[in-house]
Amino acid sequence: MSTDRHDVRGPGADPDSPRSAAETRPRPRLRVGVISAGRVGSVLGAALHRAGHEVGAVAAVSDAALNRVSLLLPDTPVRPPDEVARQADLVLLAVPDDALGGLVRGLVNAEALRSGQIVVHTSGAHGVAVLESAVNAGALPVALHPAMTFTGRPEDLERLAAATVAVTARQDDEAGFSVGAALAVELGAEPVRIAEESRKLYHAALTHGSNHLITLVNESAQLLRAAGVESPDRVLAPILSAALDNSLRYGDRAITGPVSRGDAGTVRDHLDVLGESAPDVLSGYVQLAKRTADRAVSSGMLRADDAVGVNEVLDGGR
């Protein structure tokens, strides 16, 4: 795949050479610099190394980050961020969302970014606009966000095979998208194109679905412990797995439970016991139950007349 001067095959590759000739010699690879060795950066660096790229250096400061380098990127030199970027063909920026813009400007001011480099960040909340100063230095900007949670351990490399990666490039930059898509495939994942203007909505959707799910599951486990269940995970795992599978297969038609049946009395009992035993959970239960009632009505799972009684009970639980 030719992408002009930004060829994902690495420096020195001839995009116009015949396929037969390319198959007779080793494929040139990219020299990668990873900033920094958090849970995401260390795993993606290891995945790129597994795909045949060379991880030339990595930035790591904390003991946890240094341990991840030893585990996932052994023998990789640890260097300051500007040195990591300066030696790289592909600069992988895996830092917190709010730190990204300042880091890129700092690398540009340090003359660590140059024409011909590929600069990739892994923030779900940002597109490529945050890399504008790198573009001004001549680099190709790409935003890659794997839709998965990371532990920073080797098992994450296998989980990438079941994940998608959101790829964002500059508008009308097909070369940039092609580079991002090729990198996503080399990570072992499936690329999904996300437009710059849709990036924040994309990230909000993942945050709402995954991060808030963890809160919800842990609150459910907390309630089960209060009910005397010693191993909440054994109780929750089958029902939650089924609920997740059904919701992905059938959408709102998978809704079950007292709200979808219009059982206002049961809902009232829930509000009473939560008010006594877990008042911190009560407001979240009410809000989710109201949203469930709305979606159950819209999908035909609950008659509008039956929803009236449920909503009256829920409105009293505010």
Side-chain angles (χ1 to χ4, degrees):
M1 173 188 62
S2 174
T3 55
D4 299 321
R5 63 183 178 182
H6 302 286
D7 197 317
V8 75
R9 295 176 297 177
D14 181 4
D16 297 319
S17 61
R19 178 178 176 84
S20 58
E23 292 172 345
T24 63
R25 62 178 183 272
R27 187 184 184 199
R29 309 305 287 161
L30 293 169
R31 186 174 175 86
V32 180
V34 179
I35 308 173
S36 62
R39 296 180 181 181
V40 177
S42 57
V43 171
L44 296 189
L48 289 170
H49 174 72
R50 183 175 63 175
H53 299 293
E54 175 192 0
V55 181
V58 59
V61 176
S62 69
D63 288 342
L66 292 171
N67 287 337
R68 281 189 287 267
V69 173
S70 297
L71 179 65
L72 292 165
L73 297 166
D75 303 321
T76 301
V78 177
R79 299 285 185 265
D82 60 327
E83 293 184 22
V84 172
R86 198 171 284 118
Q87 59 82 49
D89 306 307
L90 168 62
V91 183
L92 180 66
L93 306 176
V95 298
D97 299 341
D98 291 346
L100 185 56
L103 172 62
V104 176
R105 290 190 295 271
L107 292 174
V108 170
N109 291 337
E111 298 182 345
L113 300 180
R114 65 181 183 277
S115 178
Q117 283 179 314
I118 304 168
V119 179
V120 175
H121 76 71
T122 62
S123 166
H126 290 289
V128 292
V130 72
L131 300 177
E132 191 61 31
S133 57
V135 174
N136 294 336
L140 177 74
V142 179
L144 296 181
H145 179 256
M148 60 175 274
T149 57
F150 287 80
T151 65
R153 300 190 58 80
E155 53 262 32
D156 289 345
L157 291 168
E158 306 313 316
R159 290 173 181 156
L160 277 168
T164 61
V165 172
V167 181
T168 300
R170 301 175 82 190
Q171 186 175 8
D172 299 325
D173 182 6
E174 291 302 318
F177 175 74
S178 295
V179 168
L183 288 170
V185 170
E186 289 196 321
L187 290 172
E190 177 185 352
V192 175
R193 190 168 193 158
I194 303 293
E196 176 81 17
E197 62 270 18
S198 299
R199 194 80 179 196
K200 287 182 173 57
L201 182 59
Y202 156 83
H203 193 241
L206 292 187
T207 298
H208 187 46
S210 61
N211 300 158
H212 298 169
L213 175 62
I214 292 172
T215 300
L216 180 61
V217 170
N218 287 331
E219 286 187 344
S220 297
Q222 169 191 329
L223 296 175
L224 285 172
R225 290 189 190 96
V229 177
E230 294 183 359
S231 301
D233 55 320
R234 294 183 63 186
V235 176
L236 287 172
I239 191 171
L240 292 182
S241 296
L244 177 59
D245 183 63
N246 288 340
S247 65
L248 293 175
R249 287 173 180 265
Y250 307 116
D252 287 333
R253 299 291 297 176
I255 295 174
T256 62
V259 168
S260 69
R261 296 190 297 267
D263 289 339
T266 300
V267 174
R268 182 180 294 107
D269 289 342
H270 290 177
L271 300 188
D272 290 342
V273 72
L274 289 175
E276 295 173 2
S277 304
D280 56 324
V281 177
L282 177 60
S283 62
Y285 180 99
V286 169
Q287 292 303 313
L288 284 173
K290 289 179 71 67
R291 292 292 300 128
T292 300
D294 290 343
R295 300 187 74 93
V297 171
S298 297
S299 63
M301 298 295 292
L302 176 66
R303 291 176 48 216
D305 290 347
D306 293 332
V308 172
V310 171
N311 282 315
E312 287 178 349
V313 171
L314 293 170
D315 287 339
R318 288 175 179 173

